[in-house]
């Protein structure tokens, strides 16, 4: 693991956290999960499993600190730790088989959906859900998946362009 990768991943997570905090709801109260998107981008660009685990833990802690879901701290930590590992494997599988733009969109869709499902399942088991599981999947997880996929494409393009000119 290189210090440069730690710093880059830390910056991505900090930017994602700040963007997540200042972004107003866009569609029916939904807003993109910028921290999750930046976690995906950090995992994609660094490609190191040990750093992926660290990124997942830090993302979980940051998300837990800012959650508005009642009792959502532990489910957020569980969600990010599991999701980061699945996303790492997905990137390894897809990275050389298709275009990077398609890879980031596809992994964002799958990763966001998995993240939402793991969060809801662990929240259900630990603290309970305010409404039915199915309604939360339909009204929160699926729209967030579509929004995150779109936003991740644009953020990925911005990040890769910035990195290309800075290195």
């Amino acid at each position: 693991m290189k210090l440069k990768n730690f710093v880059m991943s830390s910056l991505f997570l900090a930017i994602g956290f700040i963007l997540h905090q200042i972004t107003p709801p866009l569609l029916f109260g939904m807003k993109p999960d910028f921290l999750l998107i930046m976690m995906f981008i950090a995992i994609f660009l660094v490609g190191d499993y040990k750093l992926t685990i660290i990124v997942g833990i830090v993302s979980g802690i940051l998300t837990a600190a800012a959650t508005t879901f009642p009792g959502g701290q532990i489910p957020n930590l569980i969600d990010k730790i599991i999701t980061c590992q699945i996303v790492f494997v997905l990137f390894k599988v897809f990275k050389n088989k298709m275009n990077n733009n398609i890879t980031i969109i596809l992994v964002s869709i799958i990763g966001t959906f998995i993240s939402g499902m793991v969060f809801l399942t662990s929240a259900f088991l630990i603290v309970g859900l305010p409404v039915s599981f199915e309604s939360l999947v339909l009204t929160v997880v699926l729209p967030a998946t579509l929004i995150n996929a779109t936003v991740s494409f644009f953020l990925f393009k911005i990040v890769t362009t910035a990195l290309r000119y800075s290195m």
Side-chain angles (χ1 to χ4, degrees):
M1 287 188 288
K2 296 181 180 179
L3 180 61
K4 177 182 107 173
N5 292 339
F6 271 112
V7 172
M8 187 171 60
S9 297
S10 299
L11 286 172
F12 290 153
L13 294 181
I15 291 167
F17 181 72
I18 291 167
L19 288 173
H20 185 69
Q21 292 302 310
I22 64 171
T23 303
L26 302 176
L27 178 68
F28 305 117
M30 291 298 307
K31 61 182 184 176
D33 188 348
F34 284 106
L35 187 57
L36 188 66
I37 293 168
M38 295 307 269
M39 180 180 89
F40 294 163
I41 293 172
I43 293 169
F44 180 80
L45 293 176
V46 173
D48 180 276
Y49 183 71
K50 291 177 188 174
L51 191 55
T52 294
I53 297 298
I54 294 168
V55 164
I57 292 169
V58 171
S59 295
I61 292 169
L62 290 173
T63 307
T67 188
T68 56
F69 190 89
Q73 290 78 17
I74 294 173
N76 269 303
L77 190 57
I78 293 168
D79 149 39
K80 297 302 184 279
I81 292 171
I82 292 172
T83 302
C84 75
Q85 295 180 69
I86 294 170
V87 164
F88 179 81
V89 170
L90 289 172
F91 277 132
K92 288 296 181 189
V93 169
F94 294 138
K95 195 169 189 175
N96 295 325
K97 294 183 178 162
M98 58 184 76
N99 181 315
N100 286 346
N101 295 329
I102 295 170
T103 300
I104 196 73
I105 292 170
L106 187 60
V107 172
S108 292
I109 289 169
I110 297 167
T112 304
F113 184 76
I114 289 170
S115 175
M117 296 304 287
V118 170
F119 175 80
L120 288 179
T121 302
S122 58
F124 174 73
L125 295 172
I126 295 170
V127 296
L129 297 175
V131 295
S132 74
F133 188 90
E134 295 81 16
S135 65
L136 286 172
V137 169
L138 291 174
T139 60
V140 177
V141 175
L142 292 179
T145 299
L146 297 175
I147 292 172
N148 272 13
T150 305
V151 173
S152 68
F153 172 76
F154 290 108
L155 279 178
F156 180 73
K157 294 300 274 182
I158 291 168
V159 166
T160 55
T161 301
L163 286 175
R164 186 172 43 245
Y165 287 115
S166 69
M167 303 219 171

